[in-house]
Amino acid sequence: MSTTSWSIAPHTVHVNEDPAGAVARAQRDGALFFEWPLRGIRNLHELGASAHELFQVPYPSPTLSGMVDYASDLEWFESPQGVLLVVDAEGARAKVVLAAASTLPPIGDRWRAQGKPFEAFLRGVVDVAAVLGELERRNAHLDEFGRTSRFQPDTHRLAVSAPAGSGTLTDPRPHPILRWSRRGA
């Protein structure tokens, strides 16, 4: 796998961690950088429309699974060196934050399959436990698919990182087990 120097933790979803260093490295090294504000989005339809606009999608795709498909390759941009996505959840509705979070593991897994780094930062998350639970659910689906697929056996969970004291931490090893521990609770 070829990873560019900008990504220190490729194929990782960071919850409530500071993206500033990753943003500077990604911009320096020519990676695609997107910032996705969720405030004011009221439902899944608006979330899909927001993602469609953010990624400048040249064709219609009104569903979140469609969003996963187009955000997984972004072929209409010139030869990306991977993707850094910062999702701003501050002041956003809980269901919108959970829906956006649910898209990140499958998107990251597809970028990993292309040999390119993908990092996502979810900042401003209020209900960290719910978001980490959703990421675990989506990661479990990736693990199951990787175990049962003849065509995609390298499919597996993305690492998930959250600051100490957020209540739940995950083991950064991507495969095969995600360990949960209660800290600071």
Side-chain angles (χ1 to χ4, degrees):
M1 173 190 334
S2 72
T3 50
T4 56
S5 62
W6 73 268
S7 181
I8 292 173
H11 316 114
T12 300
V13 178
H14 305 268
V15 179
N16 285 348
E17 293 181 347
D18 184 5
V23 170
R25 289 187 304 275
Q27 291 177 327
R28 177 196 69 209
D29 292 347
L32 293 175
F33 167 62
F34 298 96
E35 189 160 6
W36 189 13
L38 302 181
R39 178 179 284 192
I41 297 174
R42 296 175 300 196
N43 55 47
L44 298 182
H45 177 74
E46 289 181 8
L47 181 64
S50 170
H52 193 270
E53 182 179 327
L54 174 71
F55 296 118
Q56 303 170 26
V57 180
Y59 48 86
S61 180
T63 66
L64 284 182
S65 52
M67 198 267 300
V68 168
D69 286 341
Y70 60 70
S72 296
D73 90 17
L74 302 174
E75 65 188 18
W76 49 93
F77 290 101
E78 287 187 32
S79 184
Q81 297 299 312
V83 172
L84 174 62
L85 175 61
V86 175
V87 181
D88 186 357
E90 189 171 333
R93 294 175 184 231
K95 70 178 181 180
V96 170
V97 173
L98 290 175
S102 76
T103 66
L104 301 176
I107 292 170
D109 183 67
R110 291 183 186 183
W111 279 98
R112 176 175 48 214
Q114 298 174 52
K116 295 181 181 174
F118 171 86
E119 278 191 70
F121 285 80
L122 279 156
R123 68 177 178 203
V125 173
V126 174
D127 191 348
V128 173
V131 167
L132 291 173
E134 183 62 23
L135 291 169
E136 168 57 17
R137 189 180 71 76
R138 295 298 289 181
N139 267 334
H141 287 148
L142 290 175
D143 286 344
E144 180 63 22
F145 185 73
R147 280 191 298 273
T148 60
S149 174
R150 295 181 301 152
F151 305 107
Q152 298 293 329
D154 291 336
T155 296
H156 57 273
R157 67 183 53 241
L158 261 60
V160 176
S161 176
S166 63
T168 308
L169 296 175
T170 61
D171 185 337
R173 293 175 297 168
H175 191 60
I177 299 170
L178 180 70
R179 294 194 177 126
W180 295 80
S181 65
R182 299 292 291 169
R183 297 203 182 169

